[in-house]
Amino acid sequence: MSVYDSLGVRPIINANATLTKLGGSLMPPEVIQAMTEAARCFIDLHELQRAVGSRIAELTRNEAAYVSSGAASALALSTAACITGADLDLITRFPHLEGLRAEVIIHKSQRNGYDYAIRQTGATLIEIGTDEGASAADLENAISERTAAVFWFHGLLSKPGDLPLSEVIRIAHEHRIPVIVDGAAQLPPVSNLWYFTELGADLAIFSGGKDLRGPQSSGLILGRKDLIEACRLHGNPNHAFGRPMKVGKEEMVGLLAAVERYVHLDHDARERYCEETVEQWCAALNQISGVQAERSFPNEAGQPLPRCRVTIDAAVAGIERDAVVQALLDGNPAISVATNQQDGIYLNPMTLGQGEELVVQQRLIAVLQGE
Ligand SMILES: *Cc1c(COP(=O)(O)O)cnc(C)c1O
């Protein structure tokens, strides 16, 4: 009996996305192995964080790296680091922000749920532009002696009308203000691990528990050595702002194993698997009346991988989209899929294990045929 069976919690096949509410992603054997080994003995946690950081920095072509407790905590820690720098007096006083530079500039068009993690430091978000984008003048006008950092949310959270990231970096750097890129879900491509910082971003943030398939509660901050040092001073095990965002030895070592695996992974083969799976789904589903299936690209986070968009004409198919989604989730095995507009679902191959693509296809066809 599995741990989940004994709790009465049903396993779910994830044909949706790397969603935290579904458990994010699954750790490959080498990550589990590294965590198991790490769990077997005591170490000096500061020393381990530094050693893991320097290996990850090397692997990702960055100056420095820090393992955080999820990308959300990376947003909070990196904001705190930009507000205080490595000044221990300020770090001890934090989050009392009187007299500190504690404004963070963000495109209005990029506001999203994750920016709570920036605001939880007490920093004030200064929005620039409109829902459609912003101009160089908007950014120039927002910068003041109170500015701590400029944030950039990459992927589908940035809009075509936004100031290009390279321009944001150029302008911010003219005023000696750091730029932080949230690329939490921007893997693949693997090159994003160095792309943002090579472009000039001071820090780049990634989720450890999405496509990297590291520990669920891990995140990665990459970039400037002095800012990473400030993150470290705010972070666990120091009695500071980041103490409640603990990162254990197992997560540190597990994330390193995940990054090592990811930079050496055959990403072309993985992409082929996704393309072939989507092609196979489209061919099978288009046989069913009232159903139209097609390749959709990029996926919901803007990652360069395809999904299958299935549109259901309820009048012809004899079943409503919502009923299909519910039946998949209630079925055996349970399957989670994403929805699209009123009548569509997305099937995502990127989170599936070997052979699950066929299970998803067969279950969906059975549900559509009223079985
Ligand atoms: C997923 C995500 C986060 C949070 O990542 P966690 O590792 O789950 O904390 C932050 N920002 C963006 C844009 C994300 O997509």
Side-chain angles (χ1 to χ4, degrees), residues 247-368:
V247 186
K249 56 192 183 304
E250 297 83 3
E251 281 77 26
M252 291 178 193
V253 167
L255 185 58
L256 170 58
V259 171
E260 220 149 21
R261 170 185 173 275
Y262 203 73
V263 297
H264 296 120
L265 196 68
D266 185 345
H267 289 278
D268 290 341
R270 199 276 182 104
E271 193 184 315
R272 273 197 306 279
Y273 163 79
C274 290
E275 290 290 356
E276 284 163 14
T277 298
V278 167
E279 206 174 304
Q280 175 196 313
W281 280 339
C282 288
L285 290 162
N286 277 323
Q287 306 288 317
I288 296 172
S289 58
V291 173
Q292 194 203 331
E294 63 199 338
R295 176 181 180 270
S296 164
F297 184 93
N299 68 17
E300 92 295 344
Q303 299 153 338
L305 288 175
R307 289 188 295 176
C308 179
R309 180 169 49 224
V310 186
T311 308
I312 299 160
D313 181 344
V316 180
I319 185 164
E320 300 273 349
R321 186 276 310 276
D322 288 349
V324 172
V325 172
Q326 198 58 48
L328 287 173
L329 200 56
D330 292 344
N332 184 19
I335 298 171
S336 172
V337 298
T339 57
N340 176 46
Q341 297 173 349
Q342 303 308 309
D343 56 358
I345 63 178
Y346 282 113
L347 303 178
N348 189 348
M350 78 180 284
T351 37
L352 294 178
Q354 196 87 55
E356 286 181 341
E357 66 284 343
L358 257 184
V359 178
V360 169
Q361 177 183 315
Q362 287 161 356
R363 272 298 301 151
L364 178 53
I365 289 173
V367 166
L368 287 165

Side-chain angles (χ1 to χ4, degrees), residues 20 69-73 75 112 114 153 157 182 184-185 206-210 216 218-219:
T20 296
S69 141
S73 109
L75 293 175
N112 68 89
Y114 295 110
F153 285 86
L157 290 171
D182 178 344
F206 298 93
S207 199
K210 291 183 179 167
Q216 255 317 282
S218 70

Side-chain angles (χ1 to χ4, degrees), residues 197-221:
T197 38
E198 282 181 356
L199 195 65
D202 299 86
L203 293 174
I205 289 166
F206 298 93
S207 199
K210 291 183 179 167
D211 204 47
L212 277 175
R213 298 176 62 186
Q216 255 317 282
S217 56
S218 70
L220 193 50
I221 313 178

Side-chain angles (χ1 to χ4, degrees), residues 32-46:
I32 296 171
Q33 164 83 15
M35 292 182 79
T36 307
E37 280 181 30
R40 290 201 186 109
C41 86
F42 296 101
I43 39 73
D44 179 302
L45 199 67
H46 291 290

Side-chain angles (χ1 to χ4, degrees), residues 31-207:
V31 174
I32 296 171
Q33 164 83 15
M35 292 182 79
T36 307
E37 280 181 30
R40 290 201 186 109
C41 86
F42 296 101
I43 39 73
D44 179 302
L45 199 67
H46 291 290
E47 185 190 345
L48 181 65
Q49 175 73 267
R50 282 187 191 282
V52 163
S54 83
R55 287 284 290 282
I56 292 180
E58 247 170 63
L59 286 164
T60 62
R61 312 180 198 177
N62 279 279
E63 204 175 287
Y66 182 82
V67 180
S68 66
S69 141
S73 109
L75 293 175
L77 279 179
S78 59
T79 302
C82 289
I83 292 173
T84 63
D87 184 324
L88 277 179
D89 277 348
L90 298 183
I91 287 170
T92 310
R93 251 172 58 199
F94 200 85
H96 296 284
L97 302 174
E98 298 84 61
L100 296 181
R101 292 173 298 128
E103 288 183 0
V104 170
I105 297 174
I106 183 174
H107 274 71
K108 182 169 196 282
S109 53
Q110 294 181 14
R111 289 296 308 270
N112 68 89
Y114 295 110
D115 66 43
Y116 182 94
I118 303 172
R119 291 181 281 119
Q120 84 181 64
T121 61
T124 306
L125 284 183
I126 306 294
E127 293 181 353
I128 57 170
T130 65
D131 288 337
E132 271 72 55
S135 67
D138 291 331
L139 177 55
E140 290 277 5
N141 293 335
I143 291 175
S144 76
E145 70 281 359
R146 291 184 305 281
T147 309
V150 181
F151 253 91
W152 175 270
F153 285 86
H154 204 75
L156 295 186
L157 290 171
S158 43
K159 306 296 179 304
D162 290 353
L163 197 55
L165 176 56
S166 56
E167 274 294 285
V168 170
I169 292 169
R170 186 184 63 76
I171 294 167
H173 284 185
E174 274 175 16
H175 300 268
R176 298 172 151 269
I177 291 166
V179 174
I180 305 174
V181 173
D182 178 344
Q186 299 309 307
L187 299 172
V190 60
S191 56
N192 275 351
L193 288 169
W194 46 90
Y195 170 74
F196 301 118
T197 38
E198 282 181 356
L199 195 65
D202 299 86
L203 293 174
I205 289 166
F206 298 93
S207 199

